[in-house]
Amino acid sequence: MFIFWGWNREGFSKSDIRFKGNGYDFTLHNVVAHDRPSPFGLDYFNPGKLSTPEFNFRYAYFLKDNLALVVGTDHMKYVMDQEQTARFSGHISNPTYAGMVQNGQVDLTDEQFLTFEHTDGLNYINAGLEKYKNILSKKNFDIFWAYGGGIGALMPKSNVKLFGNERSDRYHLAGFGLDARTNINFVFWDHIMARVEGKFGYINMPDIKTTLNNKPDKASQDFVFYQVNFGVGYIFNRKLK
């Protein structure tokens, strides 16, 4: 088995985001968003702040010599680009915010209509299977290639401010995800592992909380993502046939 800790960068497709609540039901179409990496510094190595950057954690147990059950979390950060104009469909009963819609579009730049982030974060808690193949074996050094897929739940801490309401910033089980992944693993002295991994997946969140209390207000969205991560791990009880 092994444990792994690493860091990631990711990208997201455009997304239609639907907002529904008392007095409104509308969709913003083709919304653009990006990740938000922390500046490289001590936070990446400070034990008290390891969860601040975008990170990955893995625990793997080998069911067979070449097949592992892998569980972990991908802490990504999704930030809606503020300087954009989004196409609008639906209705808003509040005349102030309805008036911000012009010619079927709404300008989000001044943050008065909406700010929308999953920055602490877009937490994909997942389990998957990975198949491993040894492609190089030397004294005190091995290279393994692996591929597989996973499924999991999305537990974002969504930072949302809609229509001037108090900012909603809390963890909530919002949906599910699927992914395909591949990685290259460099193993030194049978125990120390360095990994580079690519991942492509789909996220669907039908229940994103947009207000602080128990109001029924919510948002929903789905999109595809890609992720590149790298890091280090430790292998326990390693035996090769």
Side-chain angles (χ1 to χ4, degrees):
M1 53 189 172
F2 69 77
I3 57 172
F4 167 85
W5 183 274
W7 303 273
N8 65 67
R9 291 296 307 270
E10 63 274 350
F12 311 102
S13 67
K14 293 180 180 180
S15 173
D16 294 347
I17 310 176
R18 182 180 181 183
F19 295 86
K20 189 174 182 181
N22 185 24
Y24 64 90
D25 186 353
F26 67 90
T27 300
L28 299 181
H29 297 271
N30 295 323
V31 174
V32 179
H34 291 90
D35 66 348
R36 180 182 287 167
S38 301
F40 185 76
L42 293 178
D43 285 355
Y44 283 78
F45 309 101
N46 184 340
K49 295 185 177 181
L50 284 178
S51 64
T52 300
E54 297 167 324
F55 72 84
N56 303 82
F57 172 76
R58 301 276 188 275
Y59 168 79
Y61 180 80
F62 279 82
L63 306 172
K64 299 193 299 183
D65 282 355
N66 65 346
L67 183 67
L69 172 65
V70 184
V71 296
T73 184
D74 297 348
H75 178 81
M76 301 177 281
K77 296 185 179 183
Y78 177 103
V79 183
M80 181 190 77
D81 287 11
Q82 205 63 52
E83 295 185 3
Q84 66 177 303
T85 298
R87 186 165 64 86
F88 175 98
S89 64
H91 75 273
I92 302 172
S93 60
N94 186 308
T96 299
Y97 297 100
M100 294 181 181
V101 181
Q102 301 291 327
N103 301 317
Q105 295 182 318
V106 57
D107 187 350
L108 304 172
T109 305
D110 64 5
E111 303 185 359
Q112 298 302 304
F113 190 90
L114 172 70
T115 61
F116 187 87
E117 304 177 355
H118 310 294
T119 44
D120 198 25
L122 182 65
N123 300 308
Y124 176 40
I125 303 164
N126 58 90
L129 292 173
E130 295 179 1
K131 191 168 185 178
Y132 286 76
K133 180 176 178 61
N134 180 245
I135 59 177
L136 179 68
S137 185
K138 300 288 186 180
K139 183 179 180 181
N140 296 324
F141 179 66
D142 296 278
I143 300 178
F144 291 87
W145 170 59
Y147 61 92
I151 186 171
L154 271 297
M155 183 72 75
K157 189 179 185 189
S158 302
N159 183 343
V160 182
K161 190 174 182 181
L162 175 66
F163 297 166
N165 288 313
E166 189 174 0
R167 183 175 63 122
S168 176
D169 187 13
R170 56 174 166 161
Y171 292 103
H172 181 70
L173 180 62
F176 69 93
L178 305 167
D179 75 84
R181 78 277 296 261
T182 185
N183 52 67
I184 293 289
N185 304 276
F186 305 92
V187 179
F188 304 89
W189 303 289
D190 292 343
H191 294 289
I192 306 300
M193 179 179 71
R195 164 179 284 197
V196 178
E197 181 176 69
K199 180 177 284 191
F200 180 82
Y202 169 74
I203 285 173
N204 188 312
M205 295 187 291
D207 191 23
I208 302 165
K209 294 301 181 184
T210 58
T211 54
L212 270 181
N213 49 35
N214 292 322
K215 291 180 180 179
D217 305 61
K218 67 177 183 178
S220 59
Q221 67 176 150
D222 68 316
F223 51 86
V224 297
F225 72 95
Y226 73 84
Q227 180 189 135
V228 177
N229 69 69
F230 59 93
V232 295
Y234 189 84
I235 301 169
F236 298 87
N237 298 327
R238 182 170 180 267
K239 296 179 180 179
L240 290 179
K241 290 185 180 179

